[in-house]
Amino acid sequence: MDGVPGHDGDVFAERRAKLAAWRKTGTAYPTKYQPRDEIGPLRAAYERLEAGGEAPDVHRVAGRLMAKRIHGKVSFLVVKDMSGELQLFCALDALGKDRYAALEHLDLGDHIGAEGTMMRTRRGELSLRITSWQLLSKSLRPLPEKFHGLTDVELRYRKRYLDLIINDESREVFVKRAAIIKSIRDFLDGRGFVEVETPVLQPLYGGAMARPFVTHHNELKRDLYLRIATELYLKRCIIGGIDRVYEIGKDFRNEGVSYKHNPEFTMLETYEAYVDYNHVMTMVEEMVGAAARAVGSLTVDFRGHEIDLTPPWPRTTMRAAILEKSGIDIGADDARTVADLQARIKDAGLVDKVPLAPTWGTQVDELFSETVEPHLIQPVFITEHPLETSPFAKKCPHDPRFVERFEGFIAGMETSNAFSELNDPDDQRARFLQHVSDFAAGDETAHQLDEDFLEAMEYGMPPTGGMGMGIDRLVMILTGVPSIRDVILFPALRS
RNA sequence: GGGCCGUUAGCUUAGCUGGUAGAGCAGGGGACUCUUAAUCCCAAGGUCGAAGGUUCGAAUCCUUCACGGCCCA
């Protein structure tokens, strides 16, 4: 390619002009570059080459042009593929006048392929001494600045592809995310769990307390909800005899956005027949430990805390945790009603901190959220939640105001939630009916009566331990990034 | 929803109590046979997030809005 004239300082026009010149040669966007070596393995194979050393074998690499250092008769390019970067040593002698001159008109961001032999420069940089090269794809827009990179947080989210091109740490998070999910699959598959897919579009939403997204099916002439949980379908699988079942998929909750909330997020739910929530607790700490080891160590840094995920994790009842942090015993005789509990909150001087709630269970939840949750930095299982806020969990035999439930907290975030699943259809119906009246009283997150689910349960559901885990939050913790937007490739943003 | 902070060239940014925007990288032209944030010389590139307002004069002060970040609810 000859030199492209251009002097108006317009980067886009310059690149357009170069592309036009390439199109004339018919080689601006070829279909392939094969065979080629991945840069990472190639580097590894020649790692021991000494400075000034040369190797005879011919290799071909392809990637995006990330740096360009043009000199008079010898120039240096840096190309990058997913596995790493490699310097191309480009000498006038080896390329010939025209192909050497054409290098000058490449732009950072172009994809190129190059062929040559491996060498290490006198200054010690492993390089490919190239004998030929070709343009694989022309880039029309300039990349972010090479030294500072792309730091604007908003741009990183809106144009994630640029973030991925420039910020290796960012790409690394998503590679680790895949490894974490794979380790979870391996863990569950190894225990004989069956992975299934259940409906995203549901006629009734349930399995969690959250407001849904609503959509409409034109042909069926009915509204459908995007699922807020997979729970009720996975239990149908348990009833159907898939004794160990799980699903990893997107749930959708029509709620606010924060460092730990995105309206669509990835949830793992597992159900195992014939076990209770104690069994599930052990499974969770082992599974998280396996995931942590898959991408690093059992000790992670998150939001300024060093967190040790080594199992086993402490287990403490919600009653004991609240007593310790607030001095209030929610199980005591003088705290058995909402009014009594609120009086105890007042006695404890917490009335400004803890919002008032309509029921005993929701009041306990508020008290817990305010006084205990922020302190749960190291992994811990909080067990035995109030009945009212846990409509799918079995009552504790020793105190029916509480249920056989746990939440796993890490770094102040709820990352797992599990029950000894309620399998008594009459009790389940009673719980639904309570929620129906709560809904009527204005609680949009209360459950609706799911007659079809009740019918399934009436055929007999085995005793079951079930669990839900927020994958995005787990990835945050295991990769040490502070915001859920850093573990979701294309997070929700205003337009 | 509330508080604080931010938005200046493709990217990273400077710009004091208001005086008409300065740089680095990227891009253009030139020099250079081992550079690696290459270096050196030359030239170019900006409706300062948007809309109003105050003023002789606004990137700068005021108001509203948009988007984002952090914290709080």
Side-chain angles (χ1 to χ4, degrees):
Chain A
M1 191 179 86
D2 294 328
V4 176
H7 13 69
D8 62 356
D10 182 336
V11 182
F12 303 99
E14 295 284 357
R15 292 194 174 202
R16 279 273 167 204
K18 289 177 185 174
L19 174 59
W22 279 106
R23 285 197 198 280
K24 279 184 191 155
T25 71
T27 55
Y29 295 101
T31 57
K32 63 175 184 178
Y33 192 76
Q34 290 293 328
R36 74 176 176 104
D37 289 289
E38 286 262 329
I39 287 170
L42 184 63
R43 291 192 70 107
Y46 286 93
E47 208 43 68
R48 301 182 65 179
L49 206 56
E50 289 171 9
E54 307 259 354
D57 294 346
V58 173
H59 294 283
R60 288 154 61 88
V61 299
R64 190 185 287 274
L65 185 62
M66 299 306 288
K68 201 176 109 182
R69 296 182 283 276
I70 300 286
H71 297 226
K73 296 190 179 63
V74 61
S75 295
F76 304 87
L77 306 183
V78 175
V79 292
K80 180 182 189 180
D81 70 15
M82 192 173 81
S83 64
E85 292 185 344
L86 184 65
Q87 176 170 276
L88 305 183
F89 185 96
C90 313
L92 173 63
D93 302 347
L95 288 172
K97 188 161 167 284
D98 290 349
R99 293 305 287 164
Y100 185 82
L103 287 176
E104 201 157 341
H105 302 292
L106 283 172
D107 287 303
L108 300 189
D110 289 351
H111 286 85
I112 62 171
E115 180 175 310
T117 53
M118 291 299 285
M119 50 102 63
R120 192 181 289 278
T121 64
R122 288 174 215 153
R123 301 290 287 272
E125 182 73 28
L126 198 58
S127 307
L128 189 71
R129 179 193 287 278
I130 70 168
T131 51
S132 68
W133 66 273
Q134 72 178 93
L135 182 71
L136 299 179
S137 176
K138 181 66 198 163
S139 166
L140 290 175
R141 293 174 181 270
L143 290 180
E145 196 233 15
K146 63 183 173 187
F147 186 61
H148 298 92
L150 185 69
T151 59
D152 183 294
V153 185
E154 184 176 357
L155 269 184
R156 287 186 48 229
Y157 297 149
R158 288 194 192 277
K159 303 191 176 185
R160 180 69 85 184
Y161 47 90
L162 291 180
D163 183 36
L164 294 170
I165 291 168
I166 296 294
N167 298 318
D168 288 341
E169 326 80 68
S170 176
R171 201 188 53 234
E172 201 51 41
V173 166
F174 294 101
V175 172
K176 282 186 175 176
R177 179 184 173 112
I180 289 165
I181 292 173
K182 181 179 186 309
S183 85
I184 289 171
R185 282 208 165 89
D186 289 346
F187 180 93
L188 292 169
D189 294 348
R191 291 183 168 219
F193 277 79
V194 175
E195 181 174 9
V196 299
E197 293 175 271
T198 64
V200 171
L201 294 174
Q202 302 182 348
L204 283 176
Y205 58 95
M209 314 246 304
R211 284 186 295 175
F213 288 91
V214 189
T215 186
H216 188 77
H217 192 299
N218 294 335
E219 191 69 20
L220 298 179
K221 293 188 175 64
R222 65 177 303 178
D223 284 344
L224 291 169
Y225 302 96
L226 299 187
R227 68 185 179 196
I228 59 172
T230 47
E231 173 149 357
L232 300 186
Y233 285 93
L234 292 175
K235 284 179 177 169
R236 288 170 169 92
C237 295
I238 287 285
I239 292 165
I242 307 177
D243 289 339
R244 288 177 298 274
V245 67
Y246 75 98
E247 178 163 7
I248 296 174
K250 286 279 183 75
D251 286 348
F252 306 83
R253 295 185 184 175
N254 206 340
E255 289 166 357
V257 170
S258 81
Y259 81 92
K260 55 182 178 179
H261 294 92
N262 195 63
E264 59 178 287
F265 61 100
T266 302
M267 178 79 108
L268 162 71
E269 289 194 36
T270 69
Y271 292 85
E272 180 169 5
Y274 312 113
V275 304
D276 71 355
Y277 75 136
N278 289 301
H279 177 95
V280 181
M281 266 186 268
T282 304
M283 184 186 83
V284 165
E285 60 197 11
E286 288 176 4
M287 186 168 70
V288 170
R293 277 191 296 272
V295 294
S297 75
L298 283 165
T299 312
V300 296
D301 287 319
F302 182 76
R303 286 192 163 233
H305 299 290
E306 183 172 288
I307 293 168
D308 183 358
L309 298 165
T310 307
W313 303 347
R315 304 176 181 191
T316 179
T317 64
M318 186 172 271
R319 178 178 175 180
I322 291 175
L323 180 61
E324 189 199 329
K325 293 296 178 199
S326 72
I328 298 171
D329 181 2
I330 59 170
D333 288 341
D334 65 353
R336 282 176 177 266
T337 65
V338 202
D340 281 352
L341 180 56
Q342 288 172 349
R344 299 294 82 72
I345 289 169
K346 203 168 289 177
D347 296 345
L350 295 169
V351 76
D352 294 330
K353 272 182 71 180
V354 181
L356 295 186
T359 65
W360 183 81
T362 51
Q363 190 63 68
V364 167
D365 196 52
E366 292 288 2
L367 182 58
F368 176 80
S369 297
E370 288 303 320
T371 61
V372 181
E373 210 173 307
H375 301 289
L376 304 179
I377 302 302
Q378 295 302 320
V380 62
F381 291 119
I382 298 292
T383 65
E384 298 186 11
H385 295 56
L387 176 73
E388 290 102 318
T389 54
S390 313
F392 298 103
K394 274 184 174 152
K395 292 168 188 160
C396 291
H398 62 86
D399 189 340
R401 292 172 301 164
F402 298 98
V403 295
E404 292 202 349
R405 173 180 178 183
F406 74 80
E407 289 178 297
F409 285 90
I410 306 172
M413 290 191 293
E414 177 207 342
T415 53
S416 58
N417 180 27
F419 323 127
S420 295
E421 300 291 344
L422 183 55
N423 63 343
D424 174 342
D426 292 336
D427 193 353
Q428 185 68 74
R429 181 177 295 276
R431 307 280 190 96
F432 271 137
L433 289 173
Q434 178 59 51
H435 272 250
V436 167
S437 68
D438 291 348
F439 189 87
D443 182 357
E444 277 187 88
T445 69
H447 274 86
Q448 299 158 289
L449 180 68
D450 190 336
E451 200 63 65
D452 185 75
F453 174 66
L454 283 171
E455 181 182 336
M457 192 179 278
E458 285 167 2
Y459 282 92
M461 173 172 150
T464 298
M467 190 277 295
M469 178 178 287
I471 296 297
D472 310 282
R473 290 180 182 181
L474 180 66
V475 175
M476 285 168 67
I477 291 159
L478 297 186
T479 59
V481 302
S483 168
I484 199 168
R485 287 180 162 178
D486 296 318
V487 302
I488 293 176
L489 274 168
F490 304 99
L493 297 170
R494 286 176 210 274
S495 52

